[in-house]
Amino acid sequence: MRTWDIFCSVVDNFGDIGVCWRLSRQLSSELGQSVRLLVDDLASFHRLCSDVDPARQSQRICGVEIRHWNRALEVQPAEIVIEGFGARLPDAYIISMTMRQPHPVWINLEYLSAEPWVEGCHGLPSPHTSLPLVKYFFFPGFTSATGGLLMESGLTQARDAFQRDPAALAAFWRSLDLAPPDDKVLSISLFCYDNCALPALVEAWSIHSRSVVCIVPDGKVLGHLSHIVGRPIVVGNGIKLGRLAIYAVPFLELDQYDRLLWACDFNFVRGEDSFVRAQLAARPLVWQAYPQSGGAHLPKTFAFLQRYTDALDASARPAVCALFDAWSRESADIGKHWSALRSHREMLAAHASKWAAHLGCGGNLAVKLAEFCENRLK
Ligand code: TRH
């Protein structure tokens, strides 16, 4: 067993803490590691995990020691130090790392990308400019030459059992205060950044050939949706617009959000963690990458699409690519691309299952990370 410090700085969203918490839980509960998770924003963490008490400096949940990372933080470095997404470690902590023998293995856990260059950069060392420390870049990814993806054990079984169990599904919908959608209704979850294509998408859903129910966890998008439909949409209520019903639900706990992805026919996701979880949900998805200036997020989107559609029947490929493209570029043409998908629905559902099964081929991130660090500590 090794000791780990995982530093997480919550920037302006939930992906950083979502990933760091998932990783911490898995290292502790499945790999028996001693994990300390240092988080600078416990209030955001609380939204994903209600057991977290934002007022406490130190607490233990699921075997993980959680510390509030504030100015007062004084801790001795662990054997393995993870910098989640470039979270800048305190200077005093870095100095203490030089005093520990052997020096801790220092990892920068990077953002996920399907781009091919990731394979060449994964695992590269970066010696500190003035101290006898080396930082390694650890890249999540989709191939065995990368760090793989976070996947807790038992995930597939839990997901399959849930998706095959009408009683579990019905109980889940009822837990959201919603009636379980019948087979004729297309259920969609929506989690996205501001997107100028949203009005056109809402319109397409409102005239869809089947009734559509769209579930929206609490967030900024509710304001945009309210503006589009001209009525306030707040948590706990819903509105109807033609064939579309929109329901706002609370921001769900991490594991409940998984269930939402498992329960819906189609998921709109964003960023990094919801994107991976939607793939693991074995349901068709549309992804909005974290928008970057100058469209730097677009190559990320296309690199993923290339992998995702590679094994998809050629007849459905253009429709999927066009929909991703329209959503990523925030195009008002999205409605026609949404409609074009209709004839491929069954094929897409089957493909989503195959893709989810294939995701394991790149390896399990927590296991690979632990091996990587162990090899450097020996
Ligand atoms: O919140 P995000 O936009 O996070 C992003 C990305 O990580 C991006 O790479 C980073 O640069 C930026 O933050 C700063 O999207 P993401 O990655 O999908 O994270 C959302 C997390 O919130 C994920 O762990 C799932 C979780 N979640 C819930 O627990 N409940 C919910 O109801 C919803 C909608 C999400």
Side-chain angles (χ1 to χ4, degrees):
M1 183 193 67
R2 298 289 184 183
T3 57
W4 297 62
D5 275 344
I6 301 182
F7 282 86
C8 176
S9 171
V10 177
V11 182
D12 58 352
N13 286 307
F14 298 98
D16 302 313
I17 184 59
V19 169
C20 290
W21 176 229
R22 241 180 243 299
L23 173 63
S24 302
R25 274 198 315 197
Q26 196 184 347
L27 286 169
S28 168
S29 62
E30 293 178 25
L31 304 177
Q33 305 296 302
S34 170
V35 183
R36 182 161 58 184
L37 173 61
L38 305 112
V39 186
D40 65 356
D41 176 358
L42 293 177
S44 292
F45 192 2
H46 172 80
R47 296 196 68 194
L48 269 76
C49 172
S50 64
D51 289 341
V52 171
D53 179 349
R56 291 182 68 183
Q57 293 301 307
S58 175
Q59 52 205 301
R60 185 169 285 276
I61 300 172
C62 299
V64 176
E65 182 191 345
I66 295 164
R67 293 287 288 267
H68 188 197
W69 173 14
N70 54 15
R71 282 176 174 276
L73 178 77
E74 273 183 35
V75 288
Q76 287 308 307
E79 292 171 289
I80 298 169
V81 177
I82 310 288
E83 204 178 89
F85 312 106
R88 197 171 170 276
L89 302 188
D91 292 341
Y93 184 92
I94 297 178
I95 299 294
S96 312
M97 283 166 73
T98 63
M99 292 173 205
R100 186 178 177 127
Q101 292 298 339
H103 296 328
V105 179
W106 185 2
I107 302 283
N108 181 358
L109 177 61
E110 280 287 351
Y111 290 105
L112 170 66
S113 173
E115 291 164 293
W117 60 261
V118 166
E119 291 187 345
C121 296
H122 171 61
L124 287 185
S126 165
H128 194 279
T129 47
S130 54
L131 298 172
L133 295 171
V134 178
K135 178 151 68 174
Y136 295 91
F137 292 98
F138 197 92
F139 280 86
F142 293 89
T143 64
S144 56
T146 69
L149 295 171
L150 276 172
M151 277 173 277
E152 67 275 21
S153 67
L155 167 68
T156 310
Q157 294 82 340
R159 179 201 65 206
D160 290 350
F162 179 83
Q163 289 178 337
R164 287 186 194 132
D165 180 355
L169 280 157
F172 170 74
W173 289 113
R174 279 195 296 271
S175 75
L176 299 181
D177 276 339
L178 298 175
D182 70 39
D183 291 347
K184 295 190 198 76
V185 173
L186 185 72
S187 51
I188 300 174
S189 78
L190 178 67
F191 181 46
C192 63
Y193 304 109
D194 286 343
N195 193 315
C196 300
L198 196 54
L201 188 61
V202 166
E203 188 185 346
W205 288 342
S206 71
I207 53 172
H208 193 72
S209 53
R210 285 165 73 185
S211 296
V212 172
V213 55
C214 175
I215 317 297
V216 191
D218 192 15
K220 260 177 78 185
V221 69
L222 288 179
H224 193 185
L225 284 169
S226 303
H227 184 74
I228 292 167
V229 303
R231 275 167 282 167
I233 308 175
V234 291
V235 170
N237 89 5
I239 63 106
K240 288 227 159 76
L241 192 72
R243 312 207 70 153
L244 169 67
I246 302 177
Y247 292 107
V249 298
F251 191 86
L252 303 173
E253 295 220 20
L254 209 56
D255 300 334
Q256 276 293 85
Y257 181 61
D258 259 336
R259 288 190 185 87
L260 179 66
L261 298 172
W262 298 350
C264 285
D265 298 313
F266 209 105
N267 295 302
F268 279 69
V269 284
R270 74 183 202 189
E272 173 151 344
D273 193 47
S274 60
F275 169 50
V276 173
R277 301 309 287 186
Q279 294 171 61
L280 291 168
R283 292 283 153 93
L285 73 143
V286 174
W287 175 46
Q288 185 180 17
Y290 187 75
Q292 288 169 286
S293 56
H297 54 289
L298 294 174
K300 272 186 139 187
T301 310
F302 303 135
F304 170 72
L305 263 182
Q306 208 156 5
R307 292 189 195 280
Y308 185 66
T309 59
D310 190 40
L312 177 63
D313 193 277
S315 64
R317 215 175 289 154
V320 172
C321 292
L323 184 64
F324 266 73
D325 189 65
W327 189 235
S328 302
R329 293 183 197 276
E330 308 189 26
S331 158
D333 274 351
I334 195 158
K336 79 170 185 243
H337 299 301
W338 172 259
S339 306
L341 218 61
R342 206 177 311 156
S343 51
H344 305 295
R345 231 172 49 82
E346 277 168 24
M347 197 182 282
L348 287 183
H351 178 68
S353 289
K354 280 196 212 122
W355 178 256
H358 159 86
L359 281 177
C361 301
N364 187 312
L365 189 141
V367 174
K368 284 180 109 168
L369 180 61
E371 278 169 9
F372 183 90
C373 295
E374 193 58 41
N375 289 336
R376 271 143 200 91
L377 277 170
K378 272 181 197 154

